[in-house]
Each structure stands twice: as C-alpha cells, then as structure tokens.
Amino acid sequence: EFYNRPEKIILTASGGPFRGKMRSQLLDIKPEDALKHPNWSMGAKITIDSATLMNKGLEVIEAYWLFDLPAENIEVVIHPESIIHSMVQFEDGSVMAQLGMPDMRVPIQYAFTFPKRLKNHYPRIDFKQLSCLHFEQPDTETFANLRLAYEALNKGGNIPCALNAANETGVKAFLNGQIGFLDIQEVNAVVMEKIAYISQPSLDQLIETDREARKIATDVIGQLIP
C-alpha cells in the first residue's frame, strides 16, 4: 500500500531576540528587551514565549496531538530568517516545506479559508534578495523551556496542562517586573516537579491541575521577589 506517511515534523523557531546568548547574558533582561522580536509582530505573551522558546515547546505538544507522531519524531530547529515556517519529512526521506514572509495574517487567513486560499496583497518573498537560509540546533540548556515541554509531553497525563498554567503565571510576573527572564523556566520546572501527577485526567481534573499549578507558581514567584 502506497501512502505519503509523515516520518518527521520539523518546526522552525526564530530563536527570538536572545538567540546565541548565554545564561550569564540573560540575567538582567528587562521585559522591553524581550518584547523586541527581530521578525514577528505578536502580542506580549507570545513574544515572551518566543524569547524563552516556550512557544515552540507548546507547538511540539500541539503537533503530537494533531498529527499522532511520537515526540522523538517532532524536531525543532532554529531558523533566524523565519522564512520556512515548518517542514514535513516523509518516509522516503523527501521534505516539504512551507515558506512565506513572517506575517501572522497569512496563517490566520488560511485558518478561516481552509482548504481554499484567498488572494491578498501582503508582502511576498523576493528570492533574488534572499541570499541564504540558516539553521541551528536549539540551546535547551540556556533556554530550558523547550526541554521542559518535551519532558512534559513524555510524562503525559496532566503535566503539559500544569506546564502551560505555570508558564502563563511566570510570563505575567516577568512582564510585571516581579521576576527575571530566566526565572520563568525555573518556575515551570518547580511546578512540573511539585504538581500531583494524574496519568489519565478527566476534564475536571485538568481544570483543578490548572488551578493548582497557578497556585504553586504564584508561591514560587513570591519566594523569588526581592
């Protein structure tokens, strides 16, 4: 039987404004620094998630549920130009990529019009001006949120829910100037460790997990505030 079965999904991340930075260079990062994304114009929450690589971690979890591929078959690569938005590798080794300008209006439009595409007048790629595309391995030691997302996905149950709730709480505290940039991932790690694990949570249990994770995160943040 011939079937174009995906072998791997490859998600691209711009790396955000702090791509290539070491931990020591991120200790005094202010919200206004993290909100200066080099390619994308997004809301504050998503922009911070891009800077911490959490947005790509959440996309890994989403891809797992949407496309029924194991976590090890969902790869993240840093692509600073943000021209390739995702790639699919098939069982014969061929790769298909979706390319476009870094403009959220295009995927939002397509979400409303799928499977049709409507004409628009947004900027187009000029391949004559596009000299090269770069790809890098993500630094999951400095930007631990991506690693935590994979850990949450592999643990399963209610852990991804707890991670999401903790991250929302931590990002809000960072934007409010209560904690540092690197503290966001520390809050996430503590919540994942402390939350009571439920292997097959019901909706009510997920709602309770969300509430409890936010409480734990708030307590951790309270200890971090000078």
Side-chain angles (χ1 to χ4, degrees):
E1 180 180 347
F2 293 97
Y3 179 61
N4 294 326
R5 180 171 177 79
E7 181 178 72
K8 179 189 288 186
I9 292 173
I10 304 165
L11 303 174
T12 58
S14 69
F18 309 130
R19 178 176 64 89
K21 301 290 187 184
M22 298 180 293
R23 287 184 63 92
S24 60
Q25 297 174 291
L26 300 175
L27 295 175
D28 297 319
I29 292 297
K30 304 300 182 187
E32 53 267 29
D33 301 319
L35 290 170
K36 296 175 183 176
H37 197 284
N39 300 335
W40 295 92
S41 177
M42 306 175 288
K45 162 63 166 58
I46 298 175
T47 302
I48 300 302
D49 281 350
S50 177
T52 68
L53 291 190
M54 190 61 188
N55 70 323
K56 216 48 55 176
L58 293 173
E59 287 181 23
V60 169
I61 296 172
E62 291 167 358
Y64 169 84
W65 288 106
L66 287 172
F67 304 111
D68 195 27
L69 282 176
E72 59 267 25
N73 289 43
I74 305 171
E75 181 181 356
V76 173
V77 297
I78 302 299
H79 169 50
E81 290 84 7
S82 295
I83 295 297
I84 295 178
H85 303 300
S86 63
M87 294 175 272
V88 178
Q89 179 174 300
F90 294 94
E91 288 186 322
D92 63 355
S94 61
V95 177
M96 294 184 68
Q98 196 277 333
L99 289 76
M101 295 295 286
D103 188 336
M104 286 303 298
R105 293 176 296 179
V106 176
I108 291 171
Q109 174 180 296
Y110 190 49
F112 282 110
T113 65
F114 177 85
K116 297 181 179 180
R117 295 183 182 274
L118 295 184
K119 183 176 179 62
N120 60 46
H121 299 286
Y122 305 149
R124 268 48 172 171
I125 299 173
D126 183 353
F127 284 96
K128 298 185 296 297
Q129 300 297 320
L130 192 64
S131 59
C132 57
L133 300 175
H134 298 88
F135 304 93
E136 304 167 5
Q137 179 78 11
D139 178 4
T140 56
E141 291 302 316
T142 302
F143 302 92
N145 273 340
L146 181 56
R147 173 175 52 82
L148 292 175
Y150 274 102
E151 290 179 7
L153 183 55
N154 286 321
K155 290 179 181 177
N158 64 330
I159 303 301
C161 173
L163 173 59
N164 179 69
N167 183 69
E168 288 186 359
T169 308
V171 169
K172 182 178 180 180
F174 171 68
L175 287 171
N176 289 337
Q178 296 174 287
I179 62 174
F181 180 76
L182 292 176
D183 290 332
I184 299 172
Q185 60 196 37
E186 299 301 326
V187 170
N188 293 342
V190 172
V191 170
M192 285 176 57
E193 180 181 343
K194 289 191 172 185
I195 199 75
Y197 176 68
I198 305 172
S199 61
Q200 294 183 314
S202 65
L203 177 58
D204 286 342
Q205 287 172 321
L206 287 172
I207 292 173
E208 176 59 23
T209 293
D210 182 274
R211 187 198 67 79
E212 181 63 21
R214 292 174 193 274
K215 180 180 183 301
I216 296 171
T218 300
D219 291 343
V220 175
I221 290 165
Q223 297 170 13
L224 292 171
I225 296 175

